[in-house]
């Protein structure tokens, strides 16, 4: 039994933070799913790397450009196509898990990180365009967008809340999610159809703290702060 399947048996889901045409068309994602992968996430930077790397997007870009689409519209069409395909590959995992796993996430525009109303509008639009139960919409955990987490949850949208760096930030996200579930119940909705992920950042915290530890002459403490922070959030 491989490690991902062993982890799944222990209740831990391994997600892959990557997507590209090569990953999809070459069968690598299907192989990872068969090996125990339980979810996949993406962001604009990941798509930028894949598209700029020329991994099977050239013909589609030419066709979309010929239709007169803007660069932003071309990006969205490419991203939605990839996310939809990945979600279809993950659908059997989602079904087997009773809707508790097998998700693929796509992020709203980073330009909306301080705009709750804009985040809600775009998240609802992306959900409608993709039309798949196992798609999560990734939204930022900025103070301005915490109301969006609540509103989207209340609307039955499964959200992957990202940019969480502290215990306090995690608590605020959890509170917004719970409030959204209560709103959903109050409207007669079924909370069993809504899932959520709190994307607690780890490596970026170490990257920042380790530089300070070098300056302080304490290299033996490097690569520890982020895990300690994550543990504290988990216990909270």
């Amino acid at each position: 039994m491989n490690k991902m399947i062993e982890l799944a048996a222990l209740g831990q889901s391994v997600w892959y933070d990557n997507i590209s045409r090569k990953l999809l068309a070459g069968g690598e994602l299907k192989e990872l799913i068969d090996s125990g992968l339980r979810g996949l996430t993406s962001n604009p930077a990941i798509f930028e790397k894949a598209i700029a790397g020329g991994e099977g997007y050239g013909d589609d870009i030419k066709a979309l450009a010929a239709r007169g689409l803007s660069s932003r519209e071309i990006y969205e069409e490419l991203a939605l196509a990839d996310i939809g395909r990945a979600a279809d590959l993950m659908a059997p995992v989602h079904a087997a898990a009773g809707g508790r796993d097998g998700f693929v996430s796509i992020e709203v525009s980073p330009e909306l990180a301080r705009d709750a109303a804009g985040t809600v509008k775009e998240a609802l639009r992306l959900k409608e365009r993709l039309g798949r139960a196992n798609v999560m919409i990734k939204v930022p955990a900025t103070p301005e967008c915490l109301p969006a987490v609540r509103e989207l949850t209340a609307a039955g949208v499964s959200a992957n809340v990202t940019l969480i760096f502290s215990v306090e930030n995690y608590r605020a996200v959890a509170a917004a999610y719970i409030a959204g579930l209560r709103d959903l119940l109050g409207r007669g909705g079924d909370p069993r159809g809504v899932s959520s992920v709190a994307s607690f950042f780890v490596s970026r915290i170490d990257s920042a703290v380790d530089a300070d530890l070098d300056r302080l002459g304490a290299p033996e403490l490097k690569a520890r702060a982020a895990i300690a922070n994550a543990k504290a959030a988990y216990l909270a």
Side-chain angles (χ1 to χ4, degrees), residues 43-137:
N43 60 48
I46 288 172
F47 275 115
E48 188 277 335
K49 182 178 179 181
I51 295 169
E55 295 186 350
Y57 295 94
D59 291 341
D60 283 348
I61 291 174
K62 291 177 183 177
L64 293 168
R67 287 167 47 191
L69 272 66
S70 67
S71 57
R72 183 186 292 269
E73 291 169 332
I74 290 172
Y75 160 76
E76 182 170 297
E77 292 301 317
L78 297 175
L80 290 176
D82 283 4
I83 291 295
R85 190 169 179 182
D88 290 342
L89 289 171
M90 277 285 177
V93 177
H94 185 258
R100 294 177 60 85
D101 223 331
F103 289 96
V104 177
S105 69
I106 182 170
E107 188 168 341
V108 299
S109 170
E111 295 175 352
L112 298 171
R114 308 290 183 185
D115 181 355
T119 293
V120 170
K121 182 178 179 179
E122 178 158 336
L124 292 172
R125 183 178 64 83
L126 292 173
K127 175 181 171 62
E128 182 177 359
R129 283 209 61 187
L130 285 161
R132 293 164 173 85
N134 65 325
V135 168
M136 274 190 169
I137 308 301

Side-chain angles (χ1 to χ4, degrees), residues 156-167:
V157 177
S158 293
N160 178 348
V161 189
T162 188
L163 297 180
I164 302 176
F165 293 98
S166 69
V167 174

Side-chain angles (χ1 to χ4, degrees), residues 219-232:
E220 70 281 1
L221 297 178
K222 291 173 66 174
R224 297 187 183 183
I227 294 297
N229 193 38
K231 286 181 177 179

